[in-house]
Amino acid sequence: MSEPNVIAASDVTIEYPAHSVSASHTAVKGFTLTVAPGEIVGLVGSSGSGKSTLAQIISGQAALLSGREPAPRIVGGSLEVLGVELRGLRRSKAAKLALGVGYVPQDAGTRLTSNMTVAELVAEPLLLRDKRFDRHEAGLRAATLVDALLLPVGTMVKQPHELSSGQRQRVAVARGLIQQPPLLIADEPTAGIDVSVRGTVVDVIAAAQRARGAAALIVSHDLDALRRSVDRVAVIHEGVVVGLGPIDEVLADPHHPFVAGLAEAAAHPDPYDEIDPPADDGANDERSTR
Ligand SMILES: Nc1ncnc2c1ncn2[C@@H]1O[C@H](COP(=O)(O)OP(=O)(O)OP(=O)(O)O)[C@@H](O)[C@H]1O
């Protein structure tokens, strides 16, 4: 018998509730997606299309926030993550779910604790979950990830303020991966990272998860960064799913003008049409080993 899907979303609608002067706002409409164990899926769309909202909902983080600040909530359809129905999920159950789902939030690199070294920051999630976790093993895992993400060896003893923004973002990705979660949700993990390293970052996430039969949902507006590593993409536009399947199939047969635009851009890449400003990522820093 095949293992159950780690994500089973059926016709999910998500809204932000009304608060102070703002009316309620539907951020995602009719989102349907299944992700199998070991599958790597990209979630693509333009700014404001609903990607981060979905990442917050699927990771269980929105349910953890509910009641504290205007958090998005599921108002239609059903969404099971690791076998737990998230529609109407209570905060206590969300906390349990969050233990099984790794989450790298948008701009995670900017949220690193400033007075810790990279070695401490990357190992921290393991030690927070289990105070008795072997520190030597945690250190080894941290160093392996830092190396795989092409950060210079000397990075381990540095603090966030000594790193470029792209390097900090890679440290945040390493923090997400070190817990070896059955499902990792990474929201724009390549943001601020030099274009020459973005594909590698997605490769590392995909390889680490696949090697353990674990899954990942990687949010990105950068189809190129996803191309090598994901099994399928879900394309959303203004809150609606407008393309779903293997990248090449979605682009070859676009059913929506937004997907047709993506296909056109993929077929005729303009080398001067960089969406993101160039990142000072230290991507080409000399590495002291290898
Ligand atoms: N706290 C909030 N309250 C109300 N509406 C919100 C809130 N946060 C986001 N939205 C709206 O929900 C929609 C989806 O936003 P979301 O941030 O999920 O998009 P996104 O695709 O992740 O965009 P980006 O790529 O810019 O991060 C947008 O219309 C946005 O304005």
Side-chain angles (χ1 to χ4, degrees):
M1 210 175 74
S2 61
E3 284 185 67
N5 289 314
V6 290
I7 300 176
S10 175
D11 204 17
V12 172
T13 297
I14 302 170
E15 76 169 25
Y16 286 89
H19 60 96
S20 51
V21 290
S22 321
S24 66
H25 175 72
T26 301
V28 172
K29 265 185 270 176
F31 181 78
T32 296
L33 176 73
T34 54
V35 176
E39 199 181 13
I40 311 300
V41 176
L43 182 59
V44 182
S46 54
S47 185
S49 58
K51 305 181 300 295
S52 291
T53 302
L54 277 162
Q56 282 179 58
I57 287 281
I58 296 171
S59 63
Q61 296 297 315
L64 280 176
L65 286 177
S66 64
R68 292 185 197 171
E69 55 184 89
R73 63 173 188 216
I74 303 170
V75 293
S78 80
L79 173 61
E80 276 194 14
V81 175
L82 302 178
V84 177
E85 173 59 56
L86 298 198
R87 189 169 175 185
L89 188 73
R90 283 167 191 266
R91 202 187 298 163
S92 54
K93 277 208 169 166
K96 251 191 202 163
L97 175 75
L99 286 176
V101 185
Y103 178 52
V104 179
Q106 197 167 36
D107 302 326
T110 64
R111 306 179 192 194
L112 301 172
T113 308
S114 57
N115 60 357
M116 290 170 74
T117 65
V118 168
E120 290 165 345
L121 282 164
V122 178
E124 186 188 33
L126 284 177
L127 303 170
L128 282 177
R129 184 173 300 178
D130 176 4
K131 286 196 179 74
R132 286 172 299 180
F133 196 95
D134 186 293
R135 276 163 200 271
H136 181 66
E137 169 65 20
L140 277 180
R141 279 199 206 175
T144 305
L145 282 167
V146 163
D147 189 53
L149 289 163
L150 305 182
L151 287 162
V153 167
T155 307
M156 290 293 273
V157 295
K158 292 192 173 169
Q159 294 186 344
H161 68 91
E162 298 174 275
L163 306 178
S164 70
S165 62
Q167 289 174 328
R168 285 195 287 271
Q169 182 68 8
R170 283 186 269 167
V171 170
V173 169
R175 274 173 64 89
L177 285 171
I178 201 163
Q179 302 176 69
Q180 304 188 335
L183 171 64
L184 179 76
I185 314 286
D187 191 352
E188 296 282 4
T190 62
I193 292 179
D194 189 274
V195 70
S196 66
V197 193
R198 283 182 209 162
T200 302
V201 170
V202 178
D203 289 349
V204 170
I205 294 173
Q209 292 299 90
R210 270 199 194 104
R212 294 178 295 101
L217 183 68
I218 305 174
V219 173
S220 181
H221 63 268
D222 182 354
L223 209 52
D224 263 356
L226 297 177
R227 204 169 192 119
R228 296 204 297 244
S229 315
V230 301
D231 299 305
R232 289 186 300 142
V233 285
V235 183
I236 53 173
H237 180 63
E238 295 179 357
V240 180
V241 181
V242 293
L244 183 61
I247 289 190
D248 289 338
E249 287 177 25
V250 169
L251 296 185
D253 186 19
H255 294 280
H256 186 276
F258 180 73
V259 183
L262 286 181
E264 176 66 18
H268 306 288
D270 178 351
Y272 300 106
D273 187 21
E274 267 292 311
I275 298 170
D276 299 322
D280 171 22
D281 184 23
N284 301 317
D285 285 354
E286 219 172 282
R287 311 193 69 214
S288 54
T289 61
R290 260 185 206 276

